[in-house]
Amino acid sequence: MAPNTAIFYFSGTGNSLVCAQALAQGLGNAKVLPLAAFREQARIPVEADRVGIVCPVYFYTLPLIVREFLPKLDLSRARYVFLAVTMGGFPGLALVHGQEILARSGANLHAGFAVRMYPNYIAAYDPRKLGSRVRMERNLAKAVPKIVAAVRAEQRVPVRSSLTGRVFFAALGRNFLATCRTRDRSFYADSRCNGCGTCVQVCPVGNVELNQGYPRWLGHCEQCLACLHFCPTEAIQIRGRPTQRRGRYHHPQVTAAEIATQRLLPPSL
Ligand SMILES: Cc1cc2nc3c(=O)[nH]c(=O)nc-3n(C[C@H](O)[C@H](O)[C@H](O)COP(=O)(O)O)c2cc1C
Ligand code: SF4
Ligand code: SF4
């Protein structure tokens, strides 16, 4: 029997979930687990032979929730650990930071991969103008077999830090990490909101509630943008950004209900 693999994922708009599922399918004998469901646990023991983490790049680094999750993983039984990030175009220091965080808790990162998918950061650009579904599918179809082959062979794939990654991270990433949780202060719902509650359901960390039929954000945000992109009426906006004129995105194979299950603990590890 193939060695078993546990793949933990975090995903706002579905790209990383699709990537994690494709890797699990390619590897066989693999479980896909939502890392958001483990966020209250102090220690996460893992029995699998191989462990993967799949998540988006945020501001040239890893999402805060992932940075907090990695040191809690007990990887003492794992023979091989890999990190695969999905991104709009620039991984920056995401893989390097993953390696450094694991090293600080005494674990090794054996391989790191970056997969260009669809850019979803609507605060900075119009995803519809920058993104291409055809390119995303082509990239994923190329990347998945390569990652699967490397993981099967338990191959070492070193992660590198580029000078541009360091410069951009120094300028933007640190500020993002320091302000991430309260950046939801600039979210609001406009008059198109019909009180359907989808934003409440999809939030992977329970950071949205309805107040008199309108969403209210609670100040422990991960900036995954699931609430904004899955809102069926495109009512959620970011103050000071022209988000009313920009297109919404979520991976076409991923439903709001699937994103909503991220908060729920899977039946077993
Ligand atoms: C807050 C935020 C910051 C982002 N920063 C970057 C970045 O630095 N580099 C990049 O290539 N993509 C960046 N993106 C785009 C996402 O990494 C990309 O769309 C990813 O595939 C989304 O994954 P998901 O669908 O699993 O949430 C950012 C997205 C968000 C929401
Ligand atoms: S998902 Fe959109 S329409 Fe539904 S409650 Fe939230 S903001 Fe309003
Ligand atoms: S409030 Fe919205 S952006 Fe923040 S974590 Fe929840 S779904 Fe993601």
Side-chain angles (χ1 to χ4, degrees):
M1 183 146 110
N4 70 338
T5 309
I7 302 181
F8 293 93
Y9 76 93
F10 178 69
S11 185
T13 56
N15 294 350
S16 308
L17 173 56
V18 167
C19 183
Q21 286 169 335
L23 292 175
Q25 201 185 10
L27 287 165
N29 198 17
K31 261 188 189 168
V32 176
L33 303 155
L35 66 81
F38 297 89
R39 73 190 188 288
E40 306 294 344
Q41 294 190 16
R43 197 86 188 125
I44 303 150
V46 193
E47 300 291 325
D49 303 310
R50 303 187 296 214
V51 176
I53 299 100
V54 183
C55 68
V57 174
Y58 289 170
F59 280 86
Y60 312 100
T61 186
L62 297 174
L64 207 42
I65 190 171
V66 179
R67 296 172 65 99
E68 291 176 352
F69 170 81
L70 291 177
K72 295 183 191 172
L73 274 176
D74 178 354
L75 295 168
S76 51
R77 300 177 73 114
R79 233 179 20 233
Y80 184 80
V81 180
F82 67 96
L83 173 59
V85 291
T86 74
M87 54 169 185
F90 303 101
L93 298 180
L95 294 171
V96 175
H97 285 171
Q99 184 172 47
E100 290 171 354
I101 293 166
L102 285 172
R104 282 200 288 276
S105 50
N108 279 329
L109 180 70
H110 297 93
F113 310 94
V115 185
R116 188 171 177 193
M117 293 190 70
Y118 202 97
N120 69 355
Y121 192 48
I122 191 172
Y125 47 75
D126 186 341
R128 204 173 25 198
K129 288 190 181 148
L130 276 194
S132 152
R133 288 188 184 183
V134 174
R135 189 176 56 209
M136 170 167 71
E137 274 163 29
R138 207 176 43 217
N139 286 349
L140 197 65
K142 259 200 230 159
V144 166
K146 281 190 193 157
I147 302 174
V148 166
V151 174
R152 279 221 179 109
E154 299 187 4
Q155 191 186 325
R156 286 183 183 259
V157 181
V159 302
R160 285 182 203 92
S161 81
S162 67
L163 181 62
T164 29
R166 293 218 172 266
V167 170
F168 277 116
F169 177 71
L172 301 166
R174 278 197 199 98
N175 175 50
F176 171 72
L177 292 176
T179 57
C180 165
R181 296 266 152 83
T182 52
R183 281 178 173 234
D184 59 3
R185 276 191 209 132
S186 32
F187 293 165
Y188 68 98
D190 67 23
S191 58
R192 285 176 285 185
C193 175
N194 61 16
C196 71
T198 303
C199 49
V200 177
Q201 286 153 18
V202 294
C203 179
V205 292
N207 187 46
V208 194
E209 63 182 24
L210 282 192
N211 178 31
Q212 299 183 346
Y214 277 89
R216 177 161 71 184
W217 287 267
L218 303 173
H220 53 92
C221 183
E222 295 296 335
Q223 286 292 300
C224 73
L225 300 184
C227 54
L228 182 149
H229 284 293
F230 278 98
C231 169
T233 63
E234 303 191 1
I236 299 180
Q237 314 300 337
I238 304 177
R239 227 167 256 115
R241 309 294 173 109
T243 49
Q244 261 156 338
R245 298 198 297 272
R246 292 178 175 169
R248 272 34 179 185
Y249 166 78
H250 63 80
H251 194 286
Q253 285 162 26
V254 177
T255 61
E258 278 174 287
I259 291 294
T261 61
Q262 266 185 105
R263 249 190 293 175
L264 308 176
L265 265 180
S268 70
L269 254 184

